[in-house]
Amino acid sequence: MLKKTLTINGIAKTLVVDPDTSLGDVLRKQLYLTGTKVYCGDGHCGACNVMVDGKLVISCMMKIADLRDEAEITTVEGIGTPAKLDPVQLALVAVGAPQCGFCMPGFVVSAKALLKRNPDPTREQVRSWFTRHHNACRCNGYKPIVDAVMAAAAVERGERDISELEFTMPADGRIWGTSYPRPTAIAKVTGTLDYGQDLGLRLPAGTLHVAMVQAKVSHARINGIDTAAAEQMPGVAKVVTARDIKGTNAIGGLNDPNNLGSTWDRPILCDTKVFQFGDAIALVCADTAEQARAAAEKVVVDLEELPAYLSAPAAMAEDALEIHPGYPNVYFTQRLLKGEDPKPLLDQAPHVVQGDFYLQRQPHLTIEGDVGFAYFDEEDRLTIHSKSIFLYGHALMIAPGLGVEMDKLRLVQNPAGGTFGYKFSPTLEALVGAATMATGRPCYLEYDYYQSITYTGKRSPFWMNVRLGADADGRLIGMESDFLVDHGPYSEFGDLLTKRGVQFIGAGYDIPNIRGRGRTVATNHAFGSAFRAYGSPQSFLASESLVDDLAEKLGIDPFEFRLKNVYRAGTGVTTPNGQEPEVFPYPEIFDVMRPHYETAKARAAEQSTPEVKKGVGLALGIYGCGLDGVDGAEVHIELTPTGVTVYDNWHDHGQGADIGTLGTAHEALLPLGLAPTQIKLVMNDMAVTPNGGPAGGSRSQVMIGQAIKDGCEKLIDAMRRPDGTFRSYDEMVAEGLDLTYVGKYATTNKDIDTEGQGDPFTIYMYTLFLAEVAVDTRTGKTTVEHFTAVTDIGRINNKLVVDGQMYGGIAQGIGLALSEDFEDLEVHTNLRDCGLPYAKDIPDDIQLFYVQTPRELGPFGAAGVGEAPLTASHVAVVNGIKNATGVRITHLPALPEKVLAGIRQLAAES
Ligand code: MCN
Ligand code: FES
Ligand code: FES
């Protein structure tokens, strides 16, 4: 041990430390300065950045022994507090940079260190500083952070007044449609919001730490599990295996009736087979995390390895074993039959294109990994805290497996450092629940970042073949599609995803005749989970690439070709699933985009050189808001002595459930004249908040928003006196009137049938993307230099949030196009090697425009937004590469070597 004296945020502290501990761990675990976030632990995210003697350091990588005695450490807590924000923090709040917020403390410290060295940086200097110091944000696409640093620098130089960064309440008192900062923003930029790890540090004495014994192979039979040696290890309270689980030990239960997979095919703890790398086989519960991990190493698992099928085609081979014995590897088929059979039409059509496409297993790459804990609450309910964005659904999916009644199971969402959909599936909920049930003690489970990457769900790859044809006038006449979905070993939500494929391949255009087939395949690669825009990035990769190719064949500009064929009012056009669109914004969206497209083309032509070719790519993207078919939500609205409390289950990934709720409730409660601060939010705890459904499918603003509106209207009606004025809280009590009102909303939509026809969503989001790319023909490296998006998401609730969603989603689309992947289990093991984009990889010039067509069935005219930016932004990039170089990339990501090979092949052919 080492005695160290450090000056931390100006206060001298004497510490006794293990010399091998990192500075980050000492700050968090010994000093409880939890503003500094440490998750990746290997220098790839910068969330843990602090200053040491004025210099920026990555605290997870710095050993405490390497600090000089009396070193001066500055953490986010030393920069500003909620009561006294530093200009950098205030500016971040003002521009809406904090979404999930997990990266924010690292950016705050990093920005302060930069401004200390260079009080007047250029935007490019800010971007390269963040890149150099590994500051990564997965939510906001970096541009807002750079905006904030520039604004804060101007304030610090005395060129701007700090008050300019404060939100000014509009004269009419409305916050709907404004840039009112989200309620959690200040806590996020000051490091005072407690995420799962922070809450974990404050659990009571006696809490056990859980370590998983995981499979290190992808497919195997389990012949035996020997826990004897592990049980003898110091600090071990219990080694939990499937035998200790009271229930069926299975997760699942939400499959489509036509799904031939086993509905309950995911074991909580594997007992007979390993289905994928990382599968959990046993849980070691011990007094400390180190003890639990050491004992986990001692569990002996006798495995007989089986052939691993790591892709859909491999699992479909004739001699492939059934991954779940008794169930076929191809377990769900969705067909699409619209209009007449297009085959004869396409065989005769003057212009036809066809292609094979593959969209990769995109990893979510949240800056916070997966973490949760469980305990029995005061009503003896098994209470599980996690990043779940589907509390009631996950309870249904894990209760029978654990052997616990639904009314004895309570799920709570912790503040989440991003999920992007991976938490639509349960991850560690059942594991930590099983540990608490087996030991009777609070249990804490934290996946390290390697585990977070290798053992959570991924975007399921699609293997697609699509044929598309147009008549001599350039009108689309028919399309055929056939695709495979590699959904990993577990069937949950695989059917849903396959349905999305038939709905979105070719969406946006009037295609009267379509035949399609999607098949869902079990493999031994990572299980498929939701990922923002579920199913549409795959679909649009095929159809939006082919639309460009068809335009080229026809000799028509891709902009004009798209415009000619998009959904238009009064034409009787229907979506691929036979539904009439609820609005027809594309002609206007194209009008708004046209000048930017012309500028982009001119810029590319002017700047292109043989070494660096520039190109312009377009793609449109559409996505539905909701769950397929009937959807709805419930909320509770309570009048209190000080205002109104909203109880809802609008789960927060980081997108802004807090401001979503507040903005909608405030608008609905306008007649009462409440200040936003008089509306209290109680969210995401099954014990106190009613079922609002998952925060998936960009549904919450619409579904929960409508329920909030309904509940608020009921409260206002109850408060209204005959003369139109309102009763006070005291008067309501005196008159014995109810104080709490149940807000409800339900749709009557019809999921698609076996022929792929139906009206699954009430509301859709519509976007047109424009990417301007530069391809270095010597290396094949693509850089996106400018990006423009024109979107119709109905009326906007909060401008900061909506812009933030668009910036972040576009950044993820660029990553999807160019770098992100989870394929090689040896290589794709951390944020950097999975291709996470840093500031230098995302253009600083991202222009966002909105066409706000009000939605009749959206609260105050709103649609959703969350998934719109990731529907097809990647295809705009891919089409840009084609435009610049002539190379059509069909298998993503478009890594430099792939683009270079394409360039060389074209050169050889010419
Ligand atoms: N909003 C608005 N005006 C509109 C529509 C929406 O201001 N016209 C706001 C809402 O109030 C909400 C946000 O935009 O704060 C997103 O709303 P919505 O589209 O209804 O989506 P959900 O709230 O249901 O969020 C889920 C969606 C999905 S499915 C994924 S995945 C996703 C996403 O949002 N994951 C995210 N955005 C994310 N953003 C962050 N930072 N992190 C994630 O993990
Ligand atoms: Fe230190 Fe990610 S936690 S760099
Ligand atoms: Fe940056 Fe979420 S706000 S990672």
Side-chain angles (χ1 to χ4, degrees):
M1 290 296 147
L2 196 67
K3 175 171 164 284
K4 270 261 171 213
T5 307
L6 300 172
T7 303
I8 301 185
N9 297 327
I11 298 168
K13 292 271 178 197
T14 301
L15 294 163
V16 177
V17 292
D18 174 341
D20 286 334
T21 310
S22 70
L23 170 60
D25 276 355
V26 170
L27 291 170
R28 289 182 52 79
K29 296 179 181 170
Q30 289 190 236
L31 290 162
Y32 293 98
L33 288 171
T34 52
T36 301
K37 306 298 173 195
V38 176
Y39 215 114
C40 86
D42 57 10
H44 293 144
C45 78
C48 65
N49 280 343
V50 299
M51 276 187 258
V52 175
D53 294 329
K55 281 213 178 107
L56 195 62
V57 304
I58 292 184
S59 71
C60 72
M61 302 296 282
M62 173 159 242
K63 278 201 184 148
I64 194 84
D66 295 339
L67 287 178
R68 73 171 179 92
D69 225 14
E70 296 183 358
E72 294 197 18
I73 317 287
T74 307
T75 69
V76 68
E77 290 90 347
I79 288 176
T81 62
K84 193 168 185 326
L85 294 177
D86 181 88
V88 168
Q89 291 166 317
L90 186 59
L92 287 164
V93 170
V95 301
Q99 292 192 28
C100 81
F102 199 78
C103 66
M104 281 292 125
F107 274 103
V108 168
V109 180
S110 189
K112 287 303 287 181
L114 166 66
L115 296 182
K116 240 173 135 158
R117 279 168 60 119
N118 178 1
D120 192 7
T122 62
R123 292 184 72 90
E124 215 33 57
Q125 284 169 331
V126 177
R127 282 157 53 76
S128 65
W129 174 268
F130 286 143
T131 304
R132 195 143 43 89
H133 292 282
H134 309 269
N135 282 109
C137 175
R138 187 59 162 161
C139 296
N140 65 28
Y142 299 104
K143 182 176 180 290
I145 304 179
V146 180
D147 292 343
V149 176
M150 298 307 284
V155 168
E156 290 190 353
R157 290 193 305 271
E159 293 164 14
R160 277 184 76 176
D161 194 278
I162 194 158
S163 63
E164 288 175 34
L165 302 176
E166 305 270 4
F167 178 76
T168 313
M169 200 68 186
D172 63 3
R174 291 172 76 183
I175 60 167
W176 179 267
T178 69
S179 294
Y180 187 85
R182 66 180 73 197
T184 49
I186 288 178
K188 286 170 177 166
V189 297
T190 51
T192 51
L193 184 70
D194 285 337
Y195 297 83
Q197 284 176 314
D198 309 324
L199 294 165
L201 287 174
R202 299 182 179 106
L203 289 173
T207 298
L208 293 168
H209 292 261
V210 181
M212 293 188 288
V213 177
Q214 291 182 277
K216 296 190 176 77
V217 297
S218 296
H219 196 193
R221 212 165 272 129
I222 301 177
N223 292 328
I225 306 168
D226 184 353
T227 59
E231 274 155 11
Q232 300 309 313
M233 291 286 285
V236 171
K238 173 106 188 139
V239 181
V240 182
T241 65
R243 281 199 307 271
D244 300 297
I245 292 185
K246 271 176 54 193
T248 59
N249 187 36
I251 299 174
L254 301 183
N255 285 358
D256 185 281
N258 295 322
N259 188 329
L260 303 178
S262 158
T263 305
W264 297 95
D265 53 14
R266 174 144 70 113
I268 297 175
L269 287 171
C270 295
D271 48 356
T272 58
K273 272 191 85 173
V274 164
F275 299 101
Q276 72 153 83
F277 183 89
D279 262 346
I281 298 169
L283 301 171
V284 178
C285 310
D287 292 335
T288 68
E290 293 72 23
Q291 289 168 335
R293 276 198 294 271
E297 293 290 318
K298 301 288 179 197
V299 173
V300 181
V301 186
D302 179 7
L303 290 178
E304 181 187 335
E305 237 183 298
L306 298 169
Y309 309 113
L310 298 179
S311 71
M316 291 170 77
E318 251 175 42
D319 61 347
L321 300 172
E322 282 174 346
I323 289 172
H324 291 279
Y327 297 94
N329 287 353
V330 180
Y331 59 84
F332 183 73
T333 301
Q334 176 64 54
R335 290 181 188 279
L336 182 86
L337 283 85
K338 179 184 171 191
E340 56 182 283
D341 183 357
K343 187 173 183 318
L345 297 171
L346 292 174
D347 288 347
Q348 305 288 320
H351 306 288
V352 177
V353 287
Q354 181 160 14
D356 285 309
F357 298 88
Y358 172 80
L359 188 126
Q360 75 275 36
R361 192 174 286 98
Q362 188 186 17
H364 298 73
L365 304 182
T366 53
I367 306 302
E368 180 196 39
D370 208 44
V371 56
F373 50 89
Y375 55 92
F376 286 102
D377 74 0
E378 71 284 6
E379 290 184 26
D380 208 28
R381 284 176 293 211
L382 177 64
T383 303
I384 303 173
H385 289 234
S386 71
K387 294 172 70 176
S388 170
I389 51 118
F390 194 7
L391 295 181
Y392 281 84
H394 289 176
L396 286 171
M397 291 174 76
I398 66 173
L402 287 171
V404 61
E405 295 301 322
M406 276 295 279
D407 63 354
K408 284 288 167 198
L409 184 57
R410 169 185 179 188
L411 267 56
V412 181
Q413 193 196 24
N414 290 332
T419 99
F420 305 106
Y422 90 85
K423 284 303 305 178
F424 198 90
S425 292
T427 53
L428 47 61
E429 286 77 1
L431 294 172
V432 77
T436 286
M437 287 177 77
T439 59
R441 289 167 61 178
C443 287
Y444 174 80
L445 173 57
E446 177 183 316
Y447 289 3
D448 62 23
Y449 207 85
Y450 173 77
Q451 290 169 321
S452 293
I453 286 193
T454 54
Y455 192 47
T456 57
K458 297 287 167 287
R459 190 187 292 287
S460 301
F462 277 25
W463 303 73
M464 300 165 280
N465 181 276
V466 179
R467 186 156 83 124
L468 185 67
D471 64 16
D473 292 337
R475 292 216 172 269
L476 292 170
I477 52 171
M479 182 177 78
E480 291 177 309
S481 68
D482 194 6
F483 62 96
L484 303 173
V485 178
D486 170 348
H487 198 56
Y490 304 127
S491 60
E492 64 198 40
F493 310 125
D495 40 45
L496 179 72
L497 175 60
T498 312
K499 289 178 181 191
R500 298 276 160 107
V502 296
Q503 291 171 38
F504 293 107
I505 297 177
Y509 302 108
D510 186 355
I511 311 178
N513 308 297
I514 309 179
R515 290 293 176 272
R517 178 178 68 161
R519 288 174 289 168
T520 329
V521 186
T523 71
N524 296 115
H525 214 312
F527 69 97
S529 71
F531 196 141
R532 195 175 198 175
Y534 206 39
S536 73
Q538 295 95 325
S539 307
F540 287 116
L541 174 66
S543 56
E544 281 302 286
S545 298
L546 288 177
V547 163
D548 248 36
D549 291 350
L550 200 49
E552 192 181 327
K553 268 205 158 178
L554 278 145
I556 305 180
D557 187 290
F559 185 94
E560 306 303 340
F561 181 57
R562 283 186 171 82
L563 182 56
K564 187 174 188 130
N565 285 284
V566 287
Y567 300 159
R568 278 173 191 276
T571 57
V573 62
T574 59
T575 65
N577 49 282
Q579 180 178 6
E580 190 186 339
E582 88 289 18
V583 289
F584 296 89
Y586 268 127
E588 192 178 343
I589 286 176
F590 275 74
D591 278 352
V592 176
M593 183 64 96
R594 187 180 288 279
H596 305 284
Y597 180 61
E598 295 304 334
T599 305
K601 279 200 303 187
R603 189 151 50 191
E606 195 185 301
Q607 296 178 356
S608 217
T609 65
E611 291 76 33
V612 181
K613 292 197 171 169
K614 305 229 169 166
V616 174
L618 288 166
L620 62 70
I622 295 181
Y623 207 62
C625 303
L627 302 176
D628 308 52
V630 175
D631 196 359
E634 183 176 321
V635 307
H636 295 167
I637 307 289
E638 183 189 17
L639 184 67
T640 66
T642 53
V644 167
T645 301
V646 182
Y647 298 84
D648 72 9
N649 247 13
W650 189 333
H651 308 86
D652 209 339
H653 306 245
Q655 83 280 22
D658 54 347
I659 184 66
T661 301
L662 180 64
T664 312
H666 189 258
E667 183 72 2
L669 295 168
L670 270 186
L672 302 185
L674 297 176
T677 45
Q678 287 177 277
I679 299 174
K680 186 177 159 199
L681 311 181
V682 176
M683 302 174 75
N684 304 322
D685 174 347
M686 281 173 68
V688 284
T689 53
N691 192 354
S698 304
R699 62 181 288 286
S700 309
Q701 179 64 64
V702 173
M703 302 299 158
I704 303 179
Q706 288 285 49
I708 290 171
K709 188 166 169 279
D710 180 58
C712 292
E713 283 167 1
K714 285 176 179 157
L715 170 66
I716 291 174
D717 284 347
M719 292 174 73
R720 192 177 284 112
R721 297 195 192 92
D723 66 358
T725 58
F726 296 101
R727 295 177 178 87
S728 67
Y729 171 84
D730 290 337
E731 288 164 341
M732 293 282 284
V733 173
E735 291 181 42
L737 293 169
D738 283 342
L739 297 175
T740 300
Y741 294 83
V742 177
K744 284 195 177 183
Y745 185 65
T747 67
T748 54
N749 289 59
K750 200 170 129 292
D751 192 4
I752 58 170
D753 57 20
T754 51
E755 298 190 352
Q757 301 298 286
D759 63 339
F761 308 110
T762 48
I763 292 178
Y764 289 82
M765 307 169 276
Y766 302 84
T767 305
L768 180 62
F769 302 98
L770 167 65
E772 295 174 58
V773 308
V775 182
D776 189 323
T777 54
R778 296 155 297 189
T779 60
K781 185 169 166 42
T782 303
T783 308
V784 180
E785 297 191 323
H786 310 272
F787 204 99
T788 308
V790 185
T791 303
D792 189 334
I793 48 158
R795 295 283 195 234
I796 290 172
N797 172 352
N798 187 276
K799 185 68 170 36
L800 291 181
V801 169
V802 162
D803 283 350
Q805 289 293 293
M806 293 302 298
Y807 288 132
I810 288 167
Q812 289 179 334
I814 292 170
L816 177 61
L818 299 180
S819 57
E820 296 175 19
D821 205 356
F822 179 72
E823 180 60 30
D824 187 330
L825 290 165
E826 309 264 311
V827 173
H828 296 130
T829 55
N830 59 50
L831 287 165
R832 189 197 55 209
D833 294 335
C834 283
L836 176 76
Y838 289 89
K840 71 170 174 20
D841 304 309
I842 303 301
D844 194 33
D845 180 20
I846 302 179
Q847 309 273 345
L848 302 176
F849 302 93
Y850 302 95
V851 167
Q852 297 194 45
T853 311
R855 301 301 199 277
E856 200 185 325
L857 294 176
F860 310 111
V865 66
E867 288 159 297
L870 194 48
T871 48
S873 40
H874 59 304
V875 199
V877 176
V878 174
N879 284 342
I881 296 173
K882 173 82 194 318
N883 181 252
T885 62
V887 175
R888 163 64 63 211
I889 297 293
T890 55
H891 286 42
L892 295 188
L895 296 173
E897 54 268 30
K898 248 186 243 178
V899 178
L900 191 59
I903 292 171
R904 286 189 175 150
Q905 193 183 333
L906 281 184
E909 284 166 10
S910 66

